[in-house]
Amino acid sequence: DTEVTQTPKHLVMGMTNKKSLKCEQHMGHRAMYWYKQKAKKPPELMFVYSYEKLSINESVPSRFSPECPNSSLLNLHLHALQPEDSALYLCASSQGYMSTDTQYFGPGTRLTVL
Amino acid sequence: GENVEQHPSTLSVQEGDSAVIKCTYSDSASNYFPWYKQELGKRPQLIIDIRSNVGEKKDQRIAVTLNKTAKHFSLHITETQPEDSAVYFCAASRRGGSQGNLIFGKGTKLSVKP
């Protein structure tokens, strides 16, 4: 398996809802990432997990809460989001944790906050 | 910190022509430069990358060149086809930098007209 998978593909939620995004890879990669991508913009890094430990949090609001249950899975828990949080949420993974390791992206979850 | 500028923001070519996209970076310590292709509604997909110990890399119709002195790198696509139409992002990351610290350019929308 050489892919990063994400579920769900689409998610619509209200500002009071709690939902979770899921990401999975079976390539034995030891680093996993969450990115946010607004329309016509490049991906923006949110979080980095290395060896299942959170190593980077790019000053993301606490309404986004990442979790790495094991080396293959990465979740992003969402609570009390704002309409401006609507975006494509991309997961990525890389073999190692060095900045020069190639990152492979999942297909993304398109999130709409009403 | 690193800053990556990408030009042009849009590029339209006739099928069969060549396309060139240029990026400049500010941090001389950057040493890894991937290029991602993103079709509408899909994931960013790595198409080619280059490390700073190499000046040029080619993969079929795609090539990347790197000029470390001038701090710029370019993507060259020859014999363009309609399926090359997409948004292309360049990125740079720094030796010893924070893991996951890919800095993206703003993207180039390439349209290949049949």
Side-chain angles (χ1 to χ4, degrees):
Chain A
D1 189 344
T2 58
E3 275 204 341
V4 178
T5 59
Q6 290 185 244
T7 55
K9 289 185 179 179
H10 302 274
L11 179 62
V12 179
M13 60 186 290
M15 288 190 284
T16 58
N17 292 158
K18 284 186 180 181
K19 295 285 184 183
S20 297
L21 311 184
K22 294 185 185 301
C23 174
E24 191 166 3
Q25 57 87 14
H26 293 289
M27 296 179 279
H29 288 180
R30 303 316 302 263
M32 295 183 77
Y33 313 79
W34 280 114
Y35 285 86
K36 173 182 178 180
Q37 186 178 27
K38 301 283 269 187
K40 300 184 181 181
K41 299 287 186 183
E44 295 175 41
L45 183 66
M46 300 174 72
F47 302 104
V48 181
Y49 271 82
S50 174
Y51 289 85
E52 300 158 49
K53 292 189 185 335
L54 181 65
S55 58
I56 292 182
N57 176 340
E58 291 285 355
S59 304
V60 178
S62 60
R63 56 186 186 267
F64 295 92
S65 175
E67 178 198 16
C68 188
N70 60 55
S71 60
S72 300
L73 293 173
L74 187 65
N75 299 323
L76 186 63
H77 303 296
L78 314 173
H79 174 53
L81 295 193
Q82 305 296 310
E84 58 265 30
D85 296 322
S86 298
L88 180 67
Y89 287 84
L90 292 161
C91 175
S93 70
S94 62
Q95 186 167 25
Y97 54 86
M98 300 300 289
S99 58
T100 53
D101 282 304
T102 301
Q103 294 184 32
Y104 297 94
F105 285 87
T109 294
R110 188 158 300 281
L111 174 67
T112 303
V113 182
L114 300 176
Chain B
E2 174 67 283
N3 182 48
V4 176
E5 293 196 0
Q6 183 172 347
H7 298 280
S9 55
T10 60
L11 179 58
S12 183
V13 300
Q14 287 294 131
E15 183 177 0
D17 287 351
S18 294
V20 180
I21 303 170
K22 297 182 179 180
C23 289
T24 60
Y25 60 98
S26 59
D27 189 345
S28 56
S30 288
N31 67 337
Y32 175 62
F33 308 94
W35 285 89
Y36 287 89
K37 173 186 179 183
Q38 189 173 27
E39 296 176 66
L40 191 62
K42 297 199 174 177
R43 76 184 80 195
Q45 200 143 18
L46 179 79
I47 54 170
I48 197 165
D49 58 10
I50 192 166
R51 289 175 170 78
S52 60
N53 58 344
V54 175
E56 183 174 0
K57 185 175 177 181
K58 192 172 180 181
D59 183 2
Q60 299 183 338
R61 296 186 299 109
I62 293 172
V64 57
T65 58
L66 172 65
N67 183 328
K68 287 190 293 182
T69 304
K71 290 190 282 187
H72 67 69
F73 57 112
S74 300
L75 178 71
H76 305 254
I77 306 174
T78 58
E79 301 171 25
T80 54
Q81 300 166 4
E83 50 265 39
D84 293 330
S85 296
V87 177
Y88 291 81
F89 291 103
C90 65
S93 71
R94 181 178 179 275
R95 179 189 306 118
S98 301
Q99 56 215 47
N101 195 18
L102 273 182
I103 307 300
F104 285 89
K106 292 190 175 180
T108 296
K109 184 177 180 181
L110 174 64
S111 300
V112 180
K113 298 181 193 276

